[in-house]
Amino acid sequence: MAVLHNRISRKELKERIINDPTPRTTISFYCYFKIEEPKAFRDQLYKDFTALGVLGRIYLAHEGINAQISLPTGNMDEFRTYLYAIEPLNGLRLNVAVDDDGKSFYVLDIKVRNKIVADGIDDPAFDMANKGKYVNAEQFNQLTSDPNTVVIDMRNHYEFEVGHFEKAIEIPSDTFREQLPMAADMMNADKDKNIIMYCTGGIRCEKASAYMLHKGFKNVFHLEGGIINYVNQVKEKGLDNKFHGKNFVFDQRLGERVTEEIISCCHQCGKPADTHVNCVNDACHLLFIQCDECNQKMEGTCSKECHDFIHLPEEEQKRLRSGIDKGRNVFNKAKSRLKDLKVE
């Protein structure tokens, strides 16, 4: 029977990829379509993707697929042929990473979930088939030049702070499920305006556009392929770029450089910085922005407590963090995560 789960330590897998000279390409894709048996579909994908050398994070649900992966560049054609042989995915847009060294993922995780985007929507009348209109990069630029257009960022606050579109409105919430009703409430007075929603790769803003239509908005658009596709189109077609800073991504890179502008600050000293890191303390793993100087001074930790912790004997560290699962802090969405990080 084929192995349907990874049996090798993530540390060893990471070392393998880092030392492997084989060129790899990072891509992302999603599709809302009905999957009758997500578990069976998951097992088949795991076998076939493993054979193609695919690594990454894939979520499946009855409502569709959401994937961020990397694979050997030489297998791209075979991968595309395989994917397009699945009828609902035939011709699906594959977002190629903007700033990529191929070291974005070290293991293949395919998980079945209730939804591919946790939205909190329980209204049976909600229909993803009734979604906003796609706009490409050129159309986005034209529409956003119109004063009658509102641009809404449907990403988390830590994504927004390192990079966003001109005149974009941030929805100040900690989760996507909170953002949806908040966005509708905030835009209630602008129901007659053009509303363009965007996110990293398109999956969140596509659902958000459907939600806004469900709430009675009329002129709703969403950026096709999100920021990743926009940046690629801008480069290919020589268009004006309206995105400033860095595009946060959910893999080992934690960001794609789009422009040289640094629009955020180190959470510890306040100097201009836009490098996200995870606290090296295995009992913390807090996600925060840290400049090079603070990184050296704090040895990659987020606080004095964590700095002291990593200098304890290893056995003492293991004892103190026993039973603590801080994995969720790798992409922690709560603003409360930014406790007092200031460095004296």
Side-chain angles (χ1 to χ4, degrees):
M1 181 177 177
V3 176
L4 299 182
H5 296 276
N6 173 56
R7 302 285 179 86
I8 305 172
S9 74
R10 290 174 182 260
K11 181 179 180 180
E12 181 179 341
L13 289 170
K14 181 175 181 177
E15 291 175 353
R16 285 185 186 181
I17 293 300
I18 290 176
N19 296 321
D20 187 352
T22 305
R24 298 183 67 88
T25 299
T26 301
I27 62 174
S28 59
F29 61 91
Y30 74 92
C31 185
Y32 289 102
F33 71 104
K34 189 171 183 59
I35 301 177
E36 294 291 348
E37 298 182 22
K39 177 62 167 60
F41 188 50
R42 180 262 175 211
D43 289 348
Q44 189 62 53
L45 281 186
Y46 194 94
K47 288 197 301 181
D48 296 339
F49 280 7
T50 297
L52 288 169
V54 173
L55 302 173
R57 185 187 307 109
I58 301 171
Y59 297 135
L60 299 173
H62 287 291
E63 69 172 353
I65 184 171
N66 178 20
Q68 298 88 42
I69 65 170
S70 77
L71 73 158
T73 304
N75 290 351
M76 275 293 294
D77 288 343
E78 188 177 356
F79 174 81
R80 188 180 289 106
T81 298
Y82 173 86
L83 203 65
Y84 288 178
I86 302 171
E87 186 174 349
L89 305 183
N90 188 19
L92 182 70
R93 179 191 60 257
L94 302 179
N95 275 343
V96 179
V98 175
D99 182 15
D100 180 32
D101 62 2
K103 311 296 185 182
S104 50
F105 296 100
Y106 307 126
V107 67
L108 176 60
D109 284 321
I110 306 181
K111 298 180 179 180
V112 174
R113 292 189 162 182
N114 290 330
K115 293 187 177 183
I116 54 175
V117 178
D119 53 35
I121 300 172
D122 55 11
D123 186 346
F126 175 76
D127 186 2
M128 270 304 301
N130 183 29
K131 60 190 177 185
K133 300 174 184 176
Y134 278 132
V135 289
N136 58 28
E138 188 172 4
Q139 294 166 327
F140 180 91
N141 284 359
Q142 291 172 350
L143 272 172
T144 53
S145 296
D146 184 343
N148 199 44
T149 296
V150 179
V151 183
I152 303 177
D153 191 311
M154 292 305 298
R155 301 174 302 155
N156 300 312
H157 62 90
Y158 58 83
E159 299 172 81
F160 184 90
E161 69 180 331
V162 294
H164 50 259
F165 281 106
E166 297 172 7
K167 301 178 182 178
I169 295 174
E170 179 187 9
I171 307 299
S173 59
D174 286 340
T175 66
F176 182 68
R177 66 173 65 230
E178 292 174 347
Q179 280 185 320
L180 290 174
M182 191 178 290
D185 289 343
M186 288 175 62
M187 296 299 111
N188 193 51
D190 296 315
K191 280 196 170 182
D192 294 330
K193 292 187 176 182
N194 297 319
I195 294 177
I196 299 183
M197 317 188 90
Y198 75 88
C199 60
T200 306
I203 187 169
R204 286 175 283 181
C205 57
E206 183 164 328
K207 181 167 280 190
S209 74
Y211 181 84
M212 296 295 274
L213 290 173
H214 181 66
K215 289 298 183 179
F217 290 79
K218 303 299 182 184
N219 305 314
V220 183
F221 304 85
H222 59 105
L223 183 59
E224 183 177 12
I227 298 164
I228 297 173
N229 191 43
Y230 174 89
V231 173
N232 283 328
Q233 287 186 338
V234 163
K235 290 180 178 179
E236 292 168 4
K237 299 180 180 180
L239 304 173
D240 289 337
N241 175 33
K242 293 195 174 188
F243 186 91
H244 300 279
K246 180 183 282 189
N247 179 33
F248 185 96
V249 291
F250 293 86
D251 59 50
Q252 298 292 328
R253 296 170 298 154
L254 294 179
E256 298 177 325
R257 173 64 60 194
V258 177
T259 69
E260 294 305 314
E261 302 160 277
I262 297 179
I263 65 174
S264 52
C265 300
C266 174
H267 288 156
Q268 293 180 314
C269 72
K271 293 178 182 176
D274 60 6
T275 300
H276 274 103
V277 299
N278 285 113
C279 179
V280 299
N281 178 8
D282 287 336
C284 179
H285 285 170
L286 185 73
L287 177 70
F288 67 107
I289 295 175
Q290 189 177 54
C291 69
D292 291 341
E293 184 177 337
C294 287
N295 183 270
Q296 291 183 7
K297 181 177 181 179
M298 298 298 293
E299 297 182 85
T301 60
C302 69
S303 64
K304 182 180 184 301
E305 291 76 16
C306 284
H307 188 258
D308 291 343
F309 190 97
I310 66 170
H311 288 284
L312 293 172
E314 183 60 32
E315 288 304 313
E316 179 68 1
Q317 290 186 43
K318 288 181 179 179
R319 185 186 69 80
L320 290 173
R321 66 172 180 258
S322 178
I324 298 176
D325 179 10
K326 291 295 183 180
R328 60 187 176 85
N329 278 347
V330 171
F331 296 120
N332 192 302
K333 298 176 176 61
K335 284 189 177 181
S336 60
R337 81 199 198 288
L338 297 180
K339 53 190 177 183
D340 186 7
L341 303 181
K342 300 299 181 182
V343 175
E344 298 297 335

